[in-house]
Amino acid sequence: MFLALDIGNTNITVGLFGMKNGKVLPNPLKVWRMSTVKEQTSDEYATILMNMFFYLDFDVKKVSDFAVASVVPSLNAVFEELVKKYFGKKIFFIDNKNCVGFIFAKGNSRETGADRIADVVAAYSIYGGGCIVIDFGTATTFDCIDSKGIYMGGAIAPGPTISAQLLNLKADQLPRTEMRKPLKSIGATTVECMQSGLYFGYVGLVKELIARMKKEMEVKHIVATGGLASLVASEIKEIEIILPDLTLEGIRIIWEKSNDNNKDL
């Protein structure tokens, strides 16, 4: 089996994939999520991981390969140690240099996060060029692949959860609230007002960026992923595809292509 890990600032998403004849099968068998805790040790993360396998009756000893897309550099060594110590394997970290066959526009390859690389590689592999990928995570990222398959760049905005937390942190009289779709835009209570601003304001942000990007490139598909994709995308008709496991699929595809490329050398 193959294990893909998407290490984000808020959560770590773990995807377990089946393998057949040395090839990783698409679509994860199981997806788990755990909180990102930068102070946690490799042994502590290993315990959580082993328990996930145990309680769902998966044999952890059958995992033979590991790949990671990480935007938390301080945890890279932690997971490298985990895989070496508990599995006796090396871990594959995705970066702009090992996404075989993928073309970056001049100037943006070094700065692009591993999760964004995985997103665009997966979207391009599935749908071809002319894609906008919107990942609703800690930050909401917009990534654009042109009709020739070149990654152009995109946009980054604070995620809804960060926005909600900042309202509570910076304004003493505003309570902490969660992102959810309100019944109407005019809120009667403080919480309803905050939810209206967070939800409909966020919908407006996404629509505006989509509209502007459409003026700068030919768009055939708009793909959404991330934890809040389903909640927000339901209000935005331009988003036609929601793929919750897009990043994990991208990790799988990049690992396979890199692995095949190394075999040919």
Side-chain angles (χ1 to χ4, degrees), residues 10-11 136-140 158-168 176-179 198 202 227-228:
T10 303
N11 292 305
F136 295 92
T138 304
T140 296
T161 303
I162 286 181
S163 300
Q165 290 173 348
L166 282 174
L167 278 174
N168 170 248
R176 189 160 186 168
T177 187
E178 62 180 324
M179 174 80 160
L198 287 167
Y202 216 77
L228 291 173

Side-chain angles (χ1 to χ4, degrees), residues 191-233:
V191 170
E192 288 175 354
C193 291
M194 292 174 68
Q195 288 175 340
S196 174
L198 287 167
Y199 184 84
F200 294 118
Y202 216 77
V203 167
L205 180 152
V206 174
K207 284 185 175 181
E208 178 68 14
L209 276 168
I210 289 174
R212 288 179 176 270
M213 288 175 175
K214 279 186 168 183
K215 294 178 181 178
E216 298 174 20
M217 63 175 286
E218 179 188 358
V219 179
K220 297 178 181 177
H221 300 288
I222 299 177
V223 184
T225 190
L228 291 173
S230 297
L231 177 64
V232 178

Side-chain angles (χ1 to χ4, degrees), residues 22-64:
K23 293 287 185 180
V24 183
L25 301 174
N27 304 315
L29 300 170
K30 184 62 184 175
V31 176
W32 296 284
R33 285 178 176 81
M34 49 185 168
S35 297
T36 301
V37 182
K38 295 178 182 178
E39 296 76 21
Q40 207 140 254
T41 67
S42 61
D43 294 326
E44 289 169 326
Y45 273 119
T47 301
I48 297 170
L49 197 59
M50 299 299 180
N51 283 337
M52 290 174 174
F53 274 82
F54 176 78
Y55 286 111
L56 288 173
D57 206 26
F58 285 109
D59 187 355
V60 72
K61 294 180 181 179
K62 291 184 178 180
V63 181
S64 59

Side-chain angles (χ1 to χ4, degrees), residues 7-246:
I7 302 177
N9 289 293
T10 303
N11 292 305
I12 299 171
T13 306
V14 183
L16 179 66
F17 290 81
M19 296 183 75
K20 186 175 182 180
N21 300 324
K23 293 287 185 180
V24 183
L25 301 174
N27 304 315
L29 300 170
K30 184 62 184 175
V31 176
W32 296 284
R33 285 178 176 81
M34 49 185 168
S35 297
T36 301
V37 182
K38 295 178 182 178
E39 296 76 21
Q40 207 140 254
T41 67
S42 61
D43 294 326
E44 289 169 326
Y45 273 119
T47 301
I48 297 170
L49 197 59
M50 299 299 180
N51 283 337
M52 290 174 174
F53 274 82
F54 176 78
Y55 286 111
L56 288 173
D57 206 26
F58 285 109
D59 187 355
V60 72
K61 294 180 181 179
K62 291 184 178 180
V63 181
S64 59
D65 297 282
F66 303 79
V68 172
S70 172
V71 296
V72 187
S74 62
L75 286 179
N76 291 358
V78 172
F79 278 87
E80 192 170 22
E81 180 184 349
L82 185 161
V83 171
K84 182 178 180 181
K85 183 176 181 179
Y86 287 89
F87 297 89
K89 303 285 185 178
K90 287 186 177 181
I91 200 165
F92 176 87
F93 287 96
I94 287 170
D95 59 32
N96 65 294
K97 297 176 182 177
N98 58 27
C99 45
V100 179
F102 197 71
I103 303 171
F104 291 86
K106 185 178 180 180
N108 62 19
S109 60
R110 290 184 181 180
E111 299 178 354
T112 307
D115 54 346
R116 298 175 70 189
I117 293 173
D119 283 346
V120 293
V121 166
Y124 181 63
S125 297
I126 298 169
Y127 300 107
C131 277
I132 298 175
V133 182
I134 309 173
D135 192 334
F136 295 92
T138 304
T140 296
T141 57
F142 298 72
D143 291 293
C144 304
I145 312 117
D146 73 12
S147 58
K148 296 179 181 179
I150 298 173
Y151 173 59
M152 303 167 65
I156 302 174
T161 303
I162 286 181
S163 300
Q165 290 173 348
L166 282 174
L167 278 174
N168 170 248
L169 183 65
K170 296 297 184 179
D172 290 342
Q173 291 188 320
L174 295 182
R176 189 160 186 168
T177 187
E178 62 180 324
M179 174 80 160
R180 63 170 59 183
K181 182 178 180 179
L183 295 175
K184 52 187 180 179
S185 60
I186 302 175
T189 66
T190 299
V191 170
E192 288 175 354
C193 291
M194 292 174 68
Q195 288 175 340
S196 174
L198 287 167
Y199 184 84
F200 294 118
Y202 216 77
V203 167
L205 180 152
V206 174
K207 284 185 175 181
E208 178 68 14
L209 276 168
I210 289 174
R212 288 179 176 270
M213 288 175 175
K214 279 186 168 183
K215 294 178 181 178
E216 298 174 20
M217 63 175 286
E218 179 188 358
V219 179
K220 297 178 181 177
H221 300 288
I222 299 177
V223 184
T225 190
L228 291 173
S230 297
L231 177 64
V232 178
S234 63
E235 198 74 25
I236 303 169
K237 68 179 187 304
E238 291 88 351
I239 297 176
E240 56 181 343
I241 304 158
I242 301 174
L243 296 176
D245 302 323
L246 185 70

